[in-house]
């Protein structure tokens, strides 16, 4: 054994071959933490000075190769300033260059994920042999940064500029066959043959049959493009990628600019250009927000896994009450992820609708080659339609998804409770009705909680798991475990009107209603909020949700929080509802809807809406774009702060992610609380005070004023 560390070890094989193995202790995956970077320096010292070493074989002892840099360390690095950032990059860049310059050939066996810094490490090797199970890519732009350990330098020189632009700008994972086609890897073999294939490749290099030195020379040289070719390729790429990414996500274009500036440079100078662009991106609020979201996702995942471990049993079978679109969506998601599910309805028509929804979603996956026809059949076989409660005594969890009517839900829940075993968990998919209230008629309220899915179920990642006054930890644990099994992002919240997401969303929509009352055009507001980063403006959102659904939910919220959510005017949603304009569901709301070429509803301006809304408008204020955004966002932020203060949600991270996952809050802003951190609590409080006359929704809570007074942040 030449070296044995906490992450790396080097042993000697026959014929003068050294074998470097990545195996980071205490972690399920390998990643480039500061520890790994330090040990790699020590390993390179030994290899450079080793005697009689003919070649280096590199592998992983884990199911993955290297997933990239340790992102949990990014926060401290990014906060330290540009010089420290480039210094952080320089250490491992020197490592990779030393690896590339070793006096003998290097071959890496990629057995699983090689992402970000993991792939950049592989690109520093002479040859790359991949398992059929490998996934490779450079996802840095998804974090608002660019590759920083040679990705923008080596990938275009190894695989060509087109591949480099596509892979880096998109940030996608690519399977082994795609990597082989793109010339990013040199061979693909079955997992059991990987080590031998890599060893054979290395032996061919040692024997002089593979010219590894020529490969090194190519990676160290400028790109082989003349001036005209270079200009056309880069300018076209910047225009296209910039249009795709949008102005709120600058990293993809920055990566192309780094490649362009370094195109006529050698390796070392090109790496310096990359480092400068990385540092520039790392200091942007976008990068800090997206890295923050990544870290918040780890917090959510850890909490969800913690809850799952507390569950008394694994969810082997589920059931959903109420088929239709929502029930069919829940059944589809459960069956797709391997959990068999009964789908019960009182009428065959409902069953047919639910099965049709599942079939439609599965057919789309087959069309996109994400499933085979056989796999689709297997998924459908895991959905058991039912008109009776036969077999419900064998179910681990039942999700009630009937009409949003408290009397109907109470009756259905009491009925099913009598048909299931004493330990079956019941969960209500309700968006507004109190879980404590729904539990009143149950014999075992400790087995009951809320499980609020967002529509459409297959697309929206969030599931709110709602604890009623008598809900047990086991009911929460089993429900979270089921959400995990379905591939969802569960967040546990306390019971209150609207729970977390709707409680916070409707103040945002109340801000919209007041703007319309004051004479601001709803299309102007939609465009402004979309420019601010929302996937759709509030009027369009209301049409998608359903005007009738919104009117019902607004009443629930007004009854729950009359001091700040009760209106003293007729809103535009009330007027549209009265006019029978329900949104996309009947093709007319704030906008009219016509099917596009793909069969999806496309919005078009509706001239008749102006007359419908006219009686609701009380004035015609002059207002800046900035103030419109402020009036929209302040109510959402103040209500979310109240939710945190009241422990409706436990942490700022969970609160922010609930809005990102559940409402489409702009990821590049990192969440409401991270947005407040960026602008400053005092700035936010001053902004709220400016609109104090609009009512209690614009009152900054005392906890927020305290943060402003003490210059504190939600994220330390």
């Amino acid at each position: 054994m030449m070296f044995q560390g906490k992450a790396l070890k080097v042993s000697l094989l026959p014929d003068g071959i050294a074998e470097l193995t990545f195996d980071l202790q205490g972690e399920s995956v390998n990643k480039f933490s500061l520890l790994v970077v330090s040990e790699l320096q020590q390993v390179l010292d030994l290899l450079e000075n080793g005697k009689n070493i003919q070649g280096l074989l590199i592998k992983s002892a884990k199911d993955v190769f290297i997933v990239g840099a340790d992102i949990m360390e990014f926060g401290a690095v990014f906060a330290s300033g540009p010089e420290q950032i480039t210094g952080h990059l320089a250490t491992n860049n020197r490592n990779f260059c030393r690896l590339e310059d070793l006096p003998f050939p290097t071959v890496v066996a990629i057995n699983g994920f090689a992402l970000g810094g993991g792939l950049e490490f592989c690109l520093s090797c002479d040859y790359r042999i991949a398992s059929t199970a490998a996934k490779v890519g450079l996802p840095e732009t998804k974090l608002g940064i660019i590759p920083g350990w040679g990705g923008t330098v080596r990938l275009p020189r190894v695989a060509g500029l087109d591949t480099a632009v596509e892979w880096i700008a998109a940030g996608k994972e690519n399977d082994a066959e795609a990597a082989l086609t793109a010339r990013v890897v040199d061979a693909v073999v079955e997992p059991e043959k990987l080590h031998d294939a890599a060893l054979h490749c290395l032996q061919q290099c040692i024997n002089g049959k593979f010219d590894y030195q020529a490969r090194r020379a190519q990676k160290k040289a400028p790109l082989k493009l003349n001036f005209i070719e270079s200009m056309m390729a880069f300018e076209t790429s910047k225009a296209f990628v910039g249009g795709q990414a949008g102005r709120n996500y600058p990293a993809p274009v920055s990566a192309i600019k780094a490649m362009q500036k370094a195109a006529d440079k050698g390796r070392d100078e090109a790496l310096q250009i990359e480092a400068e662009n990385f540092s520039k991106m790392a200091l942007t609020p976008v990068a800090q927000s997206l890295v923050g979201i990544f870290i918040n996702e780890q917090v959510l995942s850890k909490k969800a896994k913690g809850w799952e471990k507390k569950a008394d049993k694994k969810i082997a079978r589920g059931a959903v009450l109420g088929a239709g679109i929502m029930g069919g969506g829940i059944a589809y998601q459960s069956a797709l992820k391997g959990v068999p599910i009964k789908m019960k309805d009182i009428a065959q028509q409902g069953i047919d609708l639910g099965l049709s929804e599942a079939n439609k979603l599965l057919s789309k996956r087959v069309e996109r080659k994400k499933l085979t026809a056989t796999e689709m059949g297997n998924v459908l076989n895991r959905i058991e339609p039912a008109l009776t409660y036969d077999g419900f005594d064998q179910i681990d969890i039942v999700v009630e998804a009937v009409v949003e009517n408290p009397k109907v839900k109470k009756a259905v829940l009491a009925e099913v409770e009598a048909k299931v075993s004493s330990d079956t968990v019941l969960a209500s998919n309700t968006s507004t009705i109190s879980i404590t209230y729904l539990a009143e008629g149950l014999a075992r309220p400790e087995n009951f909680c809320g499980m609020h899915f967002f529509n459409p179920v297959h697309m929206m990642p969030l599931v709110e798991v709602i604890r009623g006054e008598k809900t047990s930890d086991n009911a929460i644990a089993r429900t979270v475990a089921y959400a995990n099994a379905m591939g969802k992002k569960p967040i546990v919240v306390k019971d209150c009107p609207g729970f977390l997401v709707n409680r916070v969303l409707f103040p945002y929509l109340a801000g919209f209603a007041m703007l319309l009352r004051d004479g601001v055009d709803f299309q102007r507001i939609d465009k402004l909020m979309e420019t601010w980063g929302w996937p759709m403006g509030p009027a369009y959102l209301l049409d998608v949700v359903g005007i009738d659904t919104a009117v019902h939910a607004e009443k629930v919220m007004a009854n729950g929080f009359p001091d700040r959510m009760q209106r003293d005017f007729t809103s535009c949603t009330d007027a549209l509802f009265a006019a029978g304009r329900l949104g996309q569901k009947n093709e007319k709301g704030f906008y009219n809807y016509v099917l596009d070429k793909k069969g999806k509803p496309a919005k078009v301006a509706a001239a008749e809406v102006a007359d419908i809304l006219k009686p609701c408008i009380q004035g015609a204020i002059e207002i800046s774009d900035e103030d419109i955004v402020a009036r929209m966002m302040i109510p959402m932020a103040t209500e979310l702060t109240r939710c945190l203060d009241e422990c409706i949600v436990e942490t700022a991270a969970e609160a922010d992610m609930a809005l990102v996952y559940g409402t489409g809050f702009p990821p590049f802003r990192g969440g409401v609380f991270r947005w407040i951190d960026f602008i400053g609590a005092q700035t936010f409080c001053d902004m709220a005070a400016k609109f104090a006359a609009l009512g209690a929704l614009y009152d900054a809570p005392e906890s927020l004023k305290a943060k402003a007074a003490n210059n504190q942040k939600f994220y330390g």
Side-chain angles (χ1 to χ4, degrees), residues 366-486:
V366 172
E367 287 173 13
R368 295 168 184 167
K369 298 184 178 179
K370 291 185 176 181
L371 279 181
T372 64
T374 300
E375 289 168 336
M376 174 180 169
N378 292 336
V379 173
L380 285 172
N381 286 336
R382 287 194 283 270
I383 301 175
E384 181 185 346
L387 292 170
T388 71
Y389 287 110
D390 290 349
F392 267 67
D393 57 341
Q394 302 298 314
I395 298 297
D396 300 313
I397 185 169
V398 178
V399 180
E400 168 274 305
V402 300
V403 63
E404 189 79 350
N405 180 302
K407 289 183 179 180
V408 175
K409 284 184 179 290
K410 271 193 165 187
V412 169
L413 288 165
E415 183 179 72
V416 72
E417 187 183 39
K419 305 293 184 181
V420 298
S421 67
S422 60
D423 76 334
T424 299
V425 170
L426 301 181
S428 178
N429 175 48
T430 173
S431 57
T432 57
I433 304 170
S434 166
I435 297 304
T436 300
Y437 170 76
L438 290 176
E440 287 176 358
L442 296 177
R444 298 182 293 274
E446 68 277 8
N447 288 353
F448 177 63
C449 65
M451 191 179 191
H452 178 207
F453 291 87
F454 290 76
N455 200 20
V457 174
H458 68 285
M459 290 182 63
M460 300 298 284
L462 180 66
V463 169
E464 287 181 306
V465 178
I466 306 115
R467 182 194 289 277
E469 286 182 7
K470 296 183 179 180
T471 304
S472 68
D473 279 356
N474 186 59
I476 296 294
R478 206 188 287 185
T479 306
V480 169
Y482 187 39
N484 285 344
M486 294 174 79

Side-chain angles (χ1 to χ4, degrees), residues 62-82:
K62 299 185 185 297
D63 292 334
V64 301
F65 185 67
I66 302 171
V67 297
D70 188 343
I71 295 172
M72 302 301 283
E73 296 176 347
F74 276 15
V77 173
F78 287 8
S80 61

Side-chain angles (χ1 to χ4, degrees), residues 215-288:
R215 288 185 159 224
R216 291 185 182 184
Q218 181 175 323
K219 285 192 286 180
K220 294 179 186 180
L223 278 175
K224 295 179 179 178
L225 294 172
N226 63 41
F227 176 77
I228 298 297
E229 290 172 332
S230 177
M231 183 183 69
M232 290 184 64
F234 283 116
E235 295 305 319
T236 301
S237 295
K238 283 189 294 186
F240 177 76
V241 169
Q244 293 285 309
R247 65 188 186 92
N248 294 319
Y249 295 89
V253 172
S254 177
I256 297 172
K257 288 179 178 178
M259 286 187 270
Q260 182 175 19
K261 190 173 180 181
D264 61 349
K265 307 291 190 299
R267 179 192 67 186
D268 295 345
E269 195 174 352
L271 287 172
Q272 183 59 40
I273 291 169
E274 178 187 78
E276 290 168 359
N277 277 266
F278 180 99
S279 178
K280 181 180 177 181
M281 287 296 101
L283 293 171
T284 63
V286 174
Q288 292 166 42

